Amino acid sequence: MSALVLDGVSKRFDDVVAVDDVSLQLGEHELLALVGPSGCGKSTLLRMIAGLQPPESGTIELGGQTVDGHGVAVAPERRGVGLVFQEHALFPHLTVDDNVGFGVRDGDRGGRVAEMLELVGLRGYGRRYPHELSGGERQRVALARALAPRPTLLLLDEPFASLDPNLRARVRDDVASILRTTRTPAVFVTHDQNESLAIGDRVAVMQAGRIAQIDTPERVFHAPTSRFVAAFMGEASFLIAGTEPPALTGDDLPAGTTVMVRPDDVTFEPTDAGDALIRSAEFRGSAWCYTLQLDSGGELRSTRSHLERIAVGTRVAPRLRPGHRPVPIPISS
């Protein structure tokens, strides 16, 4: 049984279509990363799943039961859905114990709270108040509170956006591990491409209210089905077969085919006979990223070790790294 099924879900605000005919299924224990630029509809979609906003059309099923559509509209508190937001939304006047136990209505409440705090690595923090916690600790409490009532689905909306980058990565990895340990299906909304690739069993890329592509992280990154997905999910250069050097586009594609290459696909050798020029070099700590200007007019980037410093203005011969291939991009995209 699927944890979540969306069928033709749409939402409009006045003349703006926020979500446009979205359909997807979430497996029983699956973690889906929903990623896209600001205003693409991802948070609106999450709020409709939670029951905080009604869809204008389509159906929403949770655990095989319709909660929206066909005349049904189940209240948010009866959907068995846990919510974690960027702002944590903890009650400032309640202790950690009371925050985590707030939604627990049956069984051994104290035991469940202790179990959740142990799970999120906050054993012994129960008597503290939210203002006595760090940002990462507050987010862990928010996660523990969402998991305590044993939700059938967890929804996370930009939960780490307020954390600094180093803490964000650590808390993100811990949260993903906790969700997989508890086998809780979840939809995780983010605008951070790297975050979506790191946390999702699958990644759904949204564009203008629609799902542009949904697939494994590897395929979304390495085999995008549109130019938008290719460019949004990471640095990408677009070349035209038959116009650019075959060493970059291959010799088995029809002339005029648009292909994508990423910086790690491309290498180059300095040579006076090369057909490109290093236009700029950006130091990224562990690597240099070089922008190459092709004699044909195209442009692409190439990453190399931080030990390989090559001067701007050097003429080079670019080529694909062994085992790397250009990705054809559909003309309709």
Side-chain angles (χ1 to χ4, degrees):
M1 181 185 299
S2 297
L4 168 70
V5 178
L6 304 181
D7 185 10
V9 173
S10 297
K11 181 67 175 179
R12 174 189 296 270
F13 296 102
D14 296 326
D15 294 332
V16 177
V17 179
V19 175
D20 188 9
D21 194 28
V22 168
S23 298
L24 62 83
Q25 294 189 23
L26 183 72
E28 276 190 288
H29 311 297
E30 185 179 16
L31 179 52
L32 176 70
L34 188 60
V35 65
S38 297
C40 71
K42 54 189 186 295
S43 291
T44 299
L45 186 60
L46 205 73
R47 292 176 66 83
M48 286 193 288
I49 297 169
L52 301 177
Q53 289 177 335
E56 290 187 4
S57 60
T59 60
I60 300 175
E61 294 182 8
L62 293 172
Q65 300 296 315
T66 299
V67 295
D68 268 308
H70 304 307
V72 175
V74 176
E77 64 272 15
R78 300 190 60 185
R79 296 193 177 200
V81 171
L83 299 171
V84 180
F85 296 106
Q86 174 182 341
E87 299 82 8
H88 317 304
L90 300 178
F91 297 111
H93 62 291
L94 297 183
T95 64
V96 167
D97 275 345
D98 289 338
N99 265 286
V100 174
F102 185 81
V104 180
R105 297 287 182 263
D106 56 358
D108 179 8
R109 182 174 181 271
R112 183 61 176 168
V113 169
E115 180 186 355
M116 289 299 96
L117 290 182
E118 182 79 30
L119 181 68
V120 300
L122 292 178
R123 181 181 180 184
Y125 282 66
R127 294 185 178 181
R128 298 190 189 186
Y129 287 86
H131 73 271
E132 298 176 304
L133 306 176
S134 68
E137 289 165 348
R138 287 194 294 272
Q139 195 57 276
R140 289 168 186 266
V141 173
L143 177 64
R145 184 178 66 180
L147 290 173
R150 296 181 174 87
T152 57
L153 174 67
L154 191 64
L155 304 175
L156 304 98
D157 193 1
E158 301 277 7
F160 314 128
S162 62
L163 305 180
D164 68 74
N166 290 335
L167 178 60
R168 177 174 180 150
R170 187 168 75 249
V171 174
R172 176 199 71 205
D173 293 345
D174 288 345
V175 167
S177 176
I178 289 167
L179 293 177
R180 292 190 170 101
T181 297
T182 59
R183 297 172 66 80
T184 304
V187 179
F188 178 95
V189 163
T190 180
H191 65 271
D192 186 305
Q193 300 91 326
N194 292 330
E195 195 163 79
S196 70
L197 295 171
I199 203 170
D201 297 317
R202 285 190 299 160
V203 175
V205 185
M206 285 197 73
Q207 177 190 15
R210 288 179 169 266
I211 301 292
Q213 184 174 355
I214 181 168
D215 212 325
T216 63
E218 294 84 358
R219 287 194 57 79
V220 167
F221 187 80
H222 290 297
T225 56
S226 71
R227 186 167 181 141
F228 169 81
V229 174
F232 182 78
M233 292 307 297
E235 286 186 279
S237 300
F238 299 95
L239 306 173
I240 307 297
T243 301
E244 313 295 356
L248 294 171
T249 61
D251 53 15
D252 57 348
L253 293 173
T257 302
T258 298
V259 300
M260 177 205 75
V261 292
R262 299 202 184 278
D264 63 301
D265 293 324
V266 179
T267 187
F268 59 84
E269 297 300 328
T271 171
D272 291 339
D275 46 17
L277 201 69
I278 296 180
R279 198 185 72 188
S280 65
E282 178 184 344
F283 182 58
R284 297 184 175 178
S286 61
W288 285 97
C289 185
Y290 293 94
T291 299
L292 309 181
Q293 185 69 56
L294 299 171
D295 291 348
S296 59
E299 181 182 286
L300 72 161
R301 290 183 176 86
S302 172
T303 52
R304 296 172 75 101
S305 165
H306 69 283
L307 300 175
E308 299 181 62
R309 180 69 171 99
I310 304 172
V312 171
T314 301
R315 183 158 285 278
V316 298
R319 56 181 171 82
L320 295 175
R321 296 181 186 276
H324 291 241
R325 293 181 57 82
V327 179
I329 301 297
I331 192 169
S332 59
S333 69

